[in-house]
Amino acid sequence: MKKCILKLEEKIGFDQIREMVAQECVSAMALRLVEQMKFSVDYEDVVCNLAQTDEFRQILLMENSFPSQDFFDLSPELSRLHTLGTTIELQALFDLKCSLKTVFDCVRFFQDTDEDKYPRLKLLAAKVDLDPWVLKECGRIIDDKGCIYDTASELLADIRRQQHRKQNDIDRLITKTLGKAKQEGWAPENAEVTIRNGRAVIPMLDTHRRKIKGLIIDESATRQTAYLEPSEVVELNNDLRELEFAERHEIERILKQFTDNIRPILPQLLTAYWVLGKLDFVRAKAKFALKINAGMPIVDNCQKIYWFGARHPLLYLSLSKQHKEVVPFGIELNEQQRMVIISGPNSGGKSVCLKAVGLLQYMLQAGMLVPVKETSEFGIFNQLFIDIGDQQSIENDLSTYSSHLMNMKALLEVADGKTLFLLDELGAGTEPRIGGAIAEAMVEMLYDRGAFGVITTHYSNLKLMADRFPSIANAAMLFDTRRMKPLYSLVIKHPGSSFAFEIAKNIGLPDEILAAAEKKIGAQMLNFDHQLQQIEVEKQEIEKQRTQLSVADNFLSEMIEKYTNLNNTLELKKHEILSAARQNAKQIIADANKKIEHTIAEIKTAQAKKEETMAARQKLKQEASKIEAEQQTADEKAANIRKSKKHNLPSGPKQEDNNEVVDNSLIALGDIVKIDNQDTYGQVVGIKGKKATIESNSIRMTIPLQRLIKTQKKVIPTAKPRDTSHRYQSIYNELNAKRAAFSPTLDLRGKRADEAMQLLEHYIDEAMLLSEKEIRVLHGTGYGILKEMVRGYLRNHREIKRFHPEVLELGGEGITVVELK
């Protein structure tokens, strides 16, 4: 059974997935859990594993404080300590101290987070039931360099004090002896105290080796130098050696005592290290999920497949290294559509699609996140069966077809309503009519058993089964007959053509052979197949154009909203100014009445003397001039408001200038052109293919050549009063403002993942509208998570031409340079 599972994993590529996850592990426990990872049919178990992985994926994206080192596995050492009389090793004690700190840090991390965050991982961490005294005891005994503290016991402290004194005595005596030997010429002038065989010695010239009493410990290769340990030092070294023995025995006693103290809680320690290994295992799966841009889909306890935007993870990783995109696919299997029969050209992606279905379902039921849109729905199947590739066996005397039949026999023995089978080129390998008939009979039996499956084929009789069985659907891998290349796009409901004639013609097969074959099969059948395929291709192109129009529509909606707000603001200002003008006018009239009444009173008082009357009239004239000047200022303000409002509102319908002199020669760089059906002129600054880039009012636009009219003008005409330039002037101004404010570098450092993706999406849209060709995204290095998310998004963006890291001197892997189409 295990051999069959390994063979299945190898066929679908899960063995490679397992290796990649193992590379993300730190501890040996996590590696063992990766090896134990298997296809599960327990719904609760699958959901729990998926939820844990998804929660850890969120931790990697959103948190910075989760422990990331010292994930040691002490399980083998702790299991050994169950036996009485055993003692923990010094290195194991050091690892225990470091890893226990990691255990308590992990537990503390989940305790400090919000109550509703990471519920599955909190349940896992809650299984750790350790008293902190264990870590404190480790910290009391051993330091951060793996050495036993002097204070671990009173006896050890005393032994080390004696060692220190003895070592000082040895150093003093041997230095004194060496000085005397140099003075007498018994030792080289540049001689220094050295260590031989673990003992401090002085180098003596061979001819004077007997001048000082002591032991000859070693000699040089030329035998001209003897290394001598003075007799006064020998006794001190012996005392030091005895102290080293005493130190070793005391350390062993301390370790034994510590082992006896922790032996009663070994089960709790083993559980804690299992939790630590499990966290490392889940983290490895989460890190791999980020690499393949995987997420958490909807999982139901039934048999179904309802996928959107699915990608083969291994193909995704491979093409990402080449800066290429994977074409995602969607597929549906349920009670109303239990089988899908995929047809299409060779090398069109049928087998890859089949393997992707098997691999993604296997990954999910093994507890791994999958690269599909998170609105996708997965079911749980009790059995997964795949028959793909050439499996002929010389040892077992099996041909390719025989091996396929043996696999089908095994499938038919166990298939039921909870089985998912994947069959590649069913019926191939023998005479087509017989192979097709046997394949059809097998599909009928699997259909009657209620099994779910995906089948790839070139046989027409299998394609026709969709007309007779309501729960069988056809699907096609699309092929572009104009460019003569596969599109790797899966479309449900229609069967596909093998495009054998087109492929044969493309590789250079003689035309007379193709013509003879076409007569035999009938041109009508070929044309029908090709027309169906071409309709699907054109449908996809229309969908792409619809998306582009949607982006432009959103931009125009934004502009309209801004113009509406501007108009409302102007109206408000108008009412405010007019209201203020009315108040001023009332005040002016009131002041004028007062002046007149005061003047009449002065005339009456002066009894209409000529001089006073003339002075009063002159004063009234001055007041009248002042009032007239204030009224003129108010009129000018009102006129400016009306002019501003009129300038910002759209003008009337455009009128075509029928008197324009048209130049019918080819458009070239520097020509002044006019956009068809518009009064917009511009100068050609670039031509690429069937499109030209023109510059008008400092704005560059890329427009198809067929929409441009070449004129005989030498300069761009200025806008005429009341013509259509007023209609677009505010848009040009807006674009100019956007271009002036646009930065060629987007800084995402310190942003949360969801915020960073929104900013990146908006930034790329704005760059496209401004016709930018190259932008830079600053994401930093860090753990590399934000960098992978940014580059994963760029790989799947259809308007990205290519991207690459910045040169090392300008930022390297911390910056991604993006080229737009």
PDB file of all heavy atoms in Angstrom, residues 1-13 386 391 407:
ATOM      1  N   MET A   1       0.836  -1.208   0.000  1.00  0.00           N
ATOM      2  CA  MET A   1       0.000   0.000   0.000  1.00  0.00           C
ATOM      3  C   MET A   1       0.876   1.265   0.000  1.00  0.00           C
ATOM      4  O   MET A   1       0.633   2.216  -0.736  1.00  0.00           O
ATOM      5  CB  MET A   1      -0.915  -0.014   1.237  1.00  0.00           C
ATOM      6  CG  MET A   1      -1.849   1.184   1.346  1.00  0.00           C
ATOM      7  SD  MET A   1      -3.072   1.203   0.017  1.00  0.00           S
ATOM      8  CE  MET A   1      -3.956   2.689   0.393  1.00  0.00           C
ATOM      9  N   LYS A   2       1.936   1.233   0.865  1.00  0.00           N
ATOM     10  CA  LYS A   2       2.828   2.372   0.930  1.00  0.00           C
ATOM     11  C   LYS A   2       3.505   2.612  -0.405  1.00  0.00           C
ATOM     12  O   LYS A   2       3.698   3.756  -0.834  1.00  0.00           O
ATOM     13  CB  LYS A   2       3.871   2.146   2.031  1.00  0.00           C
ATOM     14  CG  LYS A   2       4.785   3.340   2.246  1.00  0.00           C
ATOM     15  CD  LYS A   2       5.750   3.094   3.391  1.00  0.00           C
ATOM     16  CE  LYS A   2       6.654   4.303   3.598  1.00  0.00           C
ATOM     17  NZ  LYS A   2       7.611   4.090   4.697  1.00  0.00           N
ATOM     18  N   LYS A   3       3.860   1.521  -1.113  1.00  0.00           N
ATOM     19  CA  LYS A   3       4.504   1.645  -2.414  1.00  0.00           C
ATOM     20  C   LYS A   3       3.579   2.314  -3.414  1.00  0.00           C
ATOM     21  O   LYS A   3       3.999   3.154  -4.224  1.00  0.00           O
ATOM     22  CB  LYS A   3       4.915   0.259  -2.899  1.00  0.00           C
ATOM     23  CG  LYS A   3       5.714   0.281  -4.193  1.00  0.00           C
ATOM     24  CD  LYS A   3       6.156  -1.116  -4.581  1.00  0.00           C
ATOM     25  CE  LYS A   3       6.953  -1.089  -5.884  1.00  0.00           C
ATOM     26  NZ  LYS A   3       7.380  -2.449  -6.287  1.00  0.00           N
ATOM     27  N   CYS A   4       2.287   1.973  -3.369  1.00  0.00           N
ATOM     28  CA  CYS A   4       1.303   2.590  -4.278  1.00  0.00           C
ATOM     29  C   CYS A   4       1.167   4.085  -4.004  1.00  0.00           C
ATOM     30  O   CYS A   4       1.054   4.896  -4.929  1.00  0.00           O
ATOM     31  CB  CYS A   4      -0.051   1.899  -4.125  1.00  0.00           C
ATOM     32  SG  CYS A   4      -0.060   0.176  -4.683  1.00  0.00           S
ATOM     33  N   ILE A   5       1.182   4.456  -2.698  1.00  0.00           N
ATOM     34  CA  ILE A   5       1.051   5.874  -2.341  1.00  0.00           C
ATOM     35  C   ILE A   5       2.256   6.660  -2.851  1.00  0.00           C
ATOM     36  O   ILE A   5       2.119   7.749  -3.413  1.00  0.00           O
ATOM     37  CB  ILE A   5       0.908   6.023  -0.809  1.00  0.00           C
ATOM     38  CG1 ILE A   5      -0.426   5.433  -0.349  1.00  0.00           C
ATOM     39  CG2 ILE A   5       1.007   7.490  -0.401  1.00  0.00           C
ATOM     40  CD1 ILE A   5      -0.605   5.401   1.154  1.00  0.00           C
ATOM     41  N   LEU A   6       3.464   6.103  -2.667  1.00  0.00           N
ATOM     42  CA  LEU A   6       4.668   6.768  -3.145  1.00  0.00           C
ATOM     43  C   LEU A   6       4.647   6.935  -4.659  1.00  0.00           C
ATOM     44  O   LEU A   6       5.086   7.959  -5.197  1.00  0.00           O
ATOM     45  CB  LEU A   6       5.910   5.989  -2.709  1.00  0.00           C
ATOM     46  CG  LEU A   6       6.203   5.965  -1.201  1.00  0.00           C
ATOM     47  CD1 LEU A   6       7.386   5.060  -0.912  1.00  0.00           C
ATOM     48  CD2 LEU A   6       6.457   7.372  -0.677  1.00  0.00           C
ATOM     49  N   LYS A   7       4.120   5.907  -5.356  1.00  0.00           N
ATOM     50  CA  LYS A   7       4.036   5.969  -6.811  1.00  0.00           C
ATOM     51  C   LYS A   7       3.050   7.061  -7.248  1.00  0.00           C
ATOM     52  O   LYS A   7       3.295   7.803  -8.208  1.00  0.00           O
ATOM     53  CB  LYS A   7       3.601   4.612  -7.343  1.00  0.00           C
ATOM     54  CG  LYS A   7       3.932   4.385  -8.806  1.00  0.00           C
ATOM     55  CD  LYS A   7       3.694   2.942  -9.190  1.00  0.00           C
ATOM     56  CE  LYS A   7       4.098   2.694 -10.651  1.00  0.00           C
ATOM     57  NZ  LYS A   7       3.868   1.286 -11.041  1.00  0.00           N
ATOM     58  N   LEU A   8       1.928   7.152  -6.517  1.00  0.00           N
ATOM     59  CA  LEU A   8       0.948   8.191  -6.811  1.00  0.00           C
ATOM     60  C   LEU A   8       1.554   9.569  -6.591  1.00  0.00           C
ATOM     61  O   LEU A   8       1.394  10.472  -7.425  1.00  0.00           O
ATOM     62  CB  LEU A   8      -0.289   8.002  -5.928  1.00  0.00           C
ATOM     63  CG  LEU A   8      -1.329   9.133  -5.969  1.00  0.00           C
ATOM     64  CD1 LEU A   8      -1.948   9.232  -7.352  1.00  0.00           C
ATOM     65  CD2 LEU A   8      -2.402   8.923  -4.925  1.00  0.00           C
ATOM     66  N   GLU A   9       2.248   9.755  -5.465  1.00  0.00           N
ATOM     67  CA  GLU A   9       2.855  11.049  -5.166  1.00  0.00           C
ATOM     68  C   GLU A   9       3.887  11.426  -6.224  1.00  0.00           C
ATOM     69  O   GLU A   9       4.025  12.600  -6.583  1.00  0.00           O
ATOM     70  CB  GLU A   9       3.503  11.010  -3.780  1.00  0.00           C
ATOM     71  CG  GLU A   9       2.492  10.919  -2.643  1.00  0.00           C
ATOM     72  CD  GLU A   9       3.164  11.000  -1.285  1.00  0.00           C
ATOM     73  OE1 GLU A   9       4.410  11.059  -1.236  1.00  0.00           O
ATOM     74  OE2 GLU A   9       2.441  11.008  -0.271  1.00  0.00           O
ATOM     75  N   GLU A  10       4.607  10.444  -6.729  1.00  0.00           N
ATOM     76  CA  GLU A  10       5.601  10.719  -7.766  1.00  0.00           C
ATOM     77  C   GLU A  10       4.930  11.126  -9.074  1.00  0.00           C
ATOM     78  O   GLU A  10       5.407  12.029  -9.774  1.00  0.00           O
ATOM     79  CB  GLU A  10       6.460   9.474  -7.979  1.00  0.00           C
ATOM     80  CG  GLU A  10       7.579   9.670  -8.988  1.00  0.00           C
ATOM     81  CD  GLU A  10       8.414   8.419  -9.192  1.00  0.00           C
ATOM     82  OE1 GLU A  10       8.224   7.451  -8.426  1.00  0.00           O
ATOM     83  OE2 GLU A  10       9.239   8.408 -10.115  1.00  0.00           O
ATOM     84  N   LYS A  11       3.801  10.490  -9.401  1.00  0.00           N
ATOM     85  CA  LYS A  11       3.097  10.818 -10.651  1.00  0.00           C
ATOM     86  C   LYS A  11       2.582  12.251 -10.651  1.00  0.00           C
ATOM     87  O   LYS A  11       2.683  12.965 -11.651  1.00  0.00           O
ATOM     88  CB  LYS A  11       1.925   9.856 -10.860  1.00  0.00           C
ATOM     89  CG  LYS A  11       2.324   8.455 -11.279  1.00  0.00           C
ATOM     90  CD  LYS A  11       1.066   7.615 -11.462  1.00  0.00           C
ATOM     91  CE  LYS A  11       1.384   6.188 -11.873  1.00  0.00           C
ATOM     92  NZ  LYS A  11       0.162   5.369 -12.014  1.00  0.00           N
ATOM     93  N   ILE A  12       2.008  12.667  -9.531  1.00  0.00           N
ATOM     94  CA  ILE A  12       1.400  14.002  -9.495  1.00  0.00           C
ATOM     95  C   ILE A  12       2.393  15.081  -9.080  1.00  0.00           C
ATOM     96  O   ILE A  12       2.096  16.281  -9.178  1.00  0.00           O
ATOM     97  CB  ILE A  12       0.183  14.035  -8.552  1.00  0.00           C
ATOM     98  CG1 ILE A  12       0.593  13.679  -7.120  1.00  0.00           C
ATOM     99  CG2 ILE A  12      -0.902  13.090  -9.048  1.00  0.00           C
ATOM    100  CD1 ILE A  12      -0.550  13.753  -6.124  1.00  0.00           C
ATOM    101  N   GLY A  13       3.576  14.689  -8.605  1.00  0.00           N
ATOM    102  CA  GLY A  13       4.598  15.663  -8.226  1.00  0.00           C
ATOM    103  C   GLY A  13       4.583  16.049  -6.762  1.00  0.00           C
ATOM    104  O   GLY A  13       5.284  16.985  -6.363  1.00  0.00           O
ATOM    105  N   ILE A 386      -4.923   7.925 -10.170  1.00  0.00           N
ATOM    106  CA  ILE A 386      -4.422   8.580 -11.379  1.00  0.00           C
ATOM    107  C   ILE A 386      -3.703   7.563 -12.243  1.00  0.00           C
ATOM    108  O   ILE A 386      -2.959   6.710 -11.743  1.00  0.00           O
ATOM    109  CB  ILE A 386      -3.484   9.759 -11.033  1.00  0.00           C
ATOM    110  CG1 ILE A 386      -3.067  10.514 -12.311  1.00  0.00           C
ATOM    111  CG2 ILE A 386      -2.275   9.303 -10.254  1.00  0.00           C
ATOM    112  CD1 ILE A 386      -2.406  11.849 -12.046  1.00  0.00           C
ATOM    113  N   GLN A 391       3.883   3.327 -18.523  1.00  0.00           N
ATOM    114  CA  GLN A 391       4.234   2.490 -17.376  1.00  0.00           C
ATOM    115  C   GLN A 391       4.552   1.057 -17.787  1.00  0.00           C
ATOM    116  O   GLN A 391       4.270   0.119 -17.046  1.00  0.00           O
ATOM    117  CB  GLN A 391       3.080   2.496 -16.368  1.00  0.00           C
ATOM    118  CG  GLN A 391       2.722   3.884 -15.887  1.00  0.00           C
ATOM    119  CD  GLN A 391       1.398   3.912 -15.155  1.00  0.00           C
ATOM    120  OE1 GLN A 391       1.132   3.083 -14.304  1.00  0.00           O
ATOM    121  NE2 GLN A 391       0.556   4.865 -15.495  1.00  0.00           N
ATOM    122  N   ASN A 407      -4.091  -0.954 -14.428  1.00  0.00           N
ATOM    123  CA  ASN A 407      -4.493   0.165 -13.567  1.00  0.00           C
ATOM    124  C   ASN A 407      -6.001   0.360 -13.576  1.00  0.00           C
ATOM    125  O   ASN A 407      -6.623   0.615 -12.532  1.00  0.00           O
ATOM    126  CB  ASN A 407      -3.804   1.450 -14.025  1.00  0.00           C
ATOM    127  CG  ASN A 407      -2.317   1.439 -13.751  1.00  0.00           C
ATOM    128  OD1 ASN A 407      -1.838   0.722 -12.875  1.00  0.00           O
ATOM    129  ND2 ASN A 407      -1.565   2.224 -14.512  1.00  0.00           N
TER     130      ASN A 407
END
